[in-house]
Amino acid sequence: MTRNVLFELGRTDQACVVQYLFAMQLEAARLMQEASSAIQSLTGLVILALVPLGVAGSIYKAISPNGWVAQMFGQSISAGAAVLGALAVVLVLAWFGRAYRSPRRRNANAGLFVYFFAAAGLIYALQLLSKGSL
C-alpha cells in the first residue's frame, strides 16, 4: 500500500489537493482514450459501409448496359475481346505470382485494395447523392 508523505507530515490540505489534481488528470486521460476509441470505431464503420458500396458499384459499372464492358465491345468485338483477354492474362499472372511471395509481402497489399474500394464507394455514394444514379 502506498503512503502519502504529505499526510504523515500533517499537511492534509496539500495532500488532498495533490490527490484531487491527480484524479482529475487521470479522468482527463480516460476521456481522451474513450474519445479516441469512439473516433476509431466510427472510422471503421464508415469504411465498412463504403467498401461493399465500392465493390458493388464497380461491378455495376462493369456490367451495366452502358458499362465498361459494353463500351469495350462498342468499338468492335475484336477490340473488346482483346482487352478482356489481356485482363484475363494479367489476372492469371498475378494469381500465380502470389506463390513466389512471402505471406507478409502478400498481405501488405490487402490494405490498398480495402482503401481503393472505400474510395470508389465514396465516389459512387457522392454520384448517387448528386445525380440520383451511378
Side-chain angles (χ1 to χ4, degrees):
M1 195 159 125
T2 59
R3 299 179 324 182
N4 193 330
V5 178
L6 292 175
F7 276 121
E8 291 177 2
L9 293 176
R11 298 181 174 171
T12 57
D13 56 338
Q14 289 177 349
C16 289
V17 168
V18 168
Q19 284 180 343
Y20 176 76
L21 291 175
F22 179 73
M24 293 303 290
Q25 287 177 348
L26 188 62
E27 185 65 26
R30 255 189 235 137
L31 286 174
M32 289 296 290
Q33 184 179 7
E34 291 293 326
S36 174
S37 295
I39 290 171
Q40 285 179 347
S41 297
L42 185 62
T43 303
L45 182 66
V46 168
I47 290 175
L48 180 67
L50 288 176
V51 169
L53 184 64
V55 171
S58 297
I59 291 171
Y60 174 76
K61 287 276 196 172
I63 63 173
S64 69
N66 294 326
W68 299 326
V69 175
Q71 288 177 359
M72 282 188 288
F73 284 105
Q75 304 293 328
S76 71
I77 292 180
S78 62
V83 170
L84 287 179
L87 181 62
V89 168
V90 168
L91 290 175
V92 166
L93 289 175
W95 180 262
F96 287 121
R98 291 176 7 130
Y100 299 108
R101 291 188 194 166
S102 65
R104 177 178 289 179
R105 182 107 191 261
R106 252 185 287 166
N107 294 335
N109 296 332
L112 289 174
F113 288 111
V114 169
Y115 292 122
F116 172 77
F117 281 116
L122 179 64
I123 291 169
Y124 295 146
L126 291 175
Q127 281 181 356
L128 192 61
L129 289 174
S130 66
K131 295 179 186 177
S133 68
L134 293 178

Short mmCIF file of all heavy atoms in Angstrom, two decimals, residues 9 12 42 71 74 110 132:
data_model
loop_
_atom_site.label_atom_id
_atom_site.label_comp_id
_atom_site.label_asym_id
_atom_site.label_seq_id
_atom_site.Cartn_x
_atom_site.Cartn_y
_atom_site.Cartn_z
N LEU A 9 3.30 14.21 7.28
CA LEU A 9 3.87 15.46 7.77
C LEU A 9 2.81 16.37 8.37
O LEU A 9 3.13 17.44 8.85
CB LEU A 9 4.60 16.19 6.64
CG LEU A 9 5.85 15.50 6.10
CD1 LEU A 9 6.42 16.28 4.93
CD2 LEU A 9 6.90 15.36 7.19
N THR A 12 -2.42 17.87 5.55
CA THR A 12 -3.54 17.16 4.93
C THR A 12 -4.20 17.97 3.82
O THR A 12 -4.68 17.40 2.85
CB THR A 12 -4.59 16.79 5.98
OG1 THR A 12 -5.02 17.97 6.64
CG2 THR A 12 -4.03 15.80 6.98
N LEU A 42 -15.94 4.81 -35.27
CA LEU A 42 -16.72 5.49 -36.29
C LEU A 42 -16.04 5.43 -37.65
O LEU A 42 -16.69 5.18 -38.68
CB LEU A 42 -16.96 6.95 -35.89
CG LEU A 42 -17.86 7.77 -36.79
CD1 LEU A 42 -19.26 7.17 -36.81
CD2 LEU A 42 -17.92 9.20 -36.32
N GLN A 71 -18.80 -0.69 -73.39
CA GLN A 71 -18.00 0.32 -74.11
C GLN A 71 -16.83 -0.34 -74.83
O GLN A 71 -16.47 0.08 -75.93
CB GLN A 71 -17.51 1.39 -73.15
CG GLN A 71 -18.60 2.32 -72.67
CD GLN A 71 -18.08 3.34 -71.66
OE1 GLN A 71 -16.92 3.32 -71.30
NE2 GLN A 71 -18.97 4.21 -71.22
N GLY A 74 -18.27 -1.91 -77.76
CA GLY A 74 -18.95 -0.95 -78.64
C GLY A 74 -18.07 -0.55 -79.80
O GLY A 74 -18.55 -0.25 -80.89
N ALA A 110 -3.11 -5.89 -49.14
CA ALA A 110 -4.53 -6.07 -48.83
C ALA A 110 -5.17 -4.74 -48.40
O ALA A 110 -6.30 -4.44 -48.78
CB ALA A 110 -4.71 -7.12 -47.75
N GLY A 132 -28.40 11.02 -58.53
CA GLY A 132 -29.52 10.11 -58.33
C GLY A 132 -29.29 8.77 -58.98
O GLY A 132 -30.12 7.88 -58.89
#
